[in-house]
Amino acid sequence: MQQKSEIAVVIGQRLRARRIQLGYSQDEVSEKADLHPTYIGQVERGEKNLTIVSLERICNALDYPMEELFANIVTGDSHRRTAQACYDLVVTQPLRDQKKLQILIENIIRYKNE
């Protein structure tokens, strides 16, 4: 059995989070992207290596710019892995909640530095 690619898992998680954020089912995304629903599930689980064309179709179906999808991705051993995990949690939240989280983090850092 082939091991999942780290970047494929991150991309799949982000696509799934976006789909859920929009309230779409995998079937709805597959119909909009003209791809099989099973394929969408495999992509979300990081089991498939996407072609650029398939990724573009999924991103278009989710109104998800690729530059946003790929923003702040860290792979391999990196001290930024925790920051990426935080980013992935925050980016899945509605914008108003993202702003509240930003203020909360800024306040924590300010308190820590006093």
Side-chain angles (χ1 to χ4, degrees):
M1 184 166 148
Q2 188 175 2
Q3 187 175 0
K4 293 180 187 179
S5 160
E6 186 177 353
I7 194 164
V9 170
V10 171
I11 294 298
Q13 290 170 343
R14 289 184 179 188
L15 291 171
R16 180 178 188 275
R18 177 66 171 204
R19 175 180 61 77
I20 290 170
Q21 185 179 44
L22 295 173
Y24 292 162
S25 68
Q26 287 180 347
D27 287 335
E28 289 171 310
V29 173
S30 71
E31 188 174 315
K32 288 175 177 279
D34 195 28
L35 296 166
H36 198 277
T38 302
Y39 183 75
I40 299 298
Q42 291 169 328
V43 166
E44 288 184 358
R45 292 187 299 275
E47 297 171 353
K48 283 287 184 189
N49 280 327
L50 288 152
T51 66
I52 296 298
V53 172
S54 294
L55 180 59
E56 179 183 40
R57 290 160 89 178
I58 294 169
C59 285
N60 287 340
L62 295 172
D63 192 28
Y64 199 178
M66 279 201 219
E67 61 271 17
E68 187 177 325
L69 174 66
F70 282 94
N72 299 306
I73 290 183
V74 178
T75 59
D77 294 327
S78 172
H79 64 282
R80 294 184 49 200
R81 187 176 301 271
T82 301
Q84 178 185 336
C86 292
Y87 173 85
D88 289 341
L89 288 171
V90 171
V91 78
T92 62
Q93 303 305 307
L95 184 57
R96 78 169 190 283
D97 291 344
Q98 289 181 30
K99 290 178 180 179
K100 290 176 184 176
L101 288 166
Q102 178 186 0
I103 291 168
L104 179 63
I105 292 167
E106 288 170 348
N107 287 335
I108 290 169
I109 292 170
R110 192 175 305 113
Y111 176 79
K112 181 184 144 276
N113 290 333
E114 287 180 355

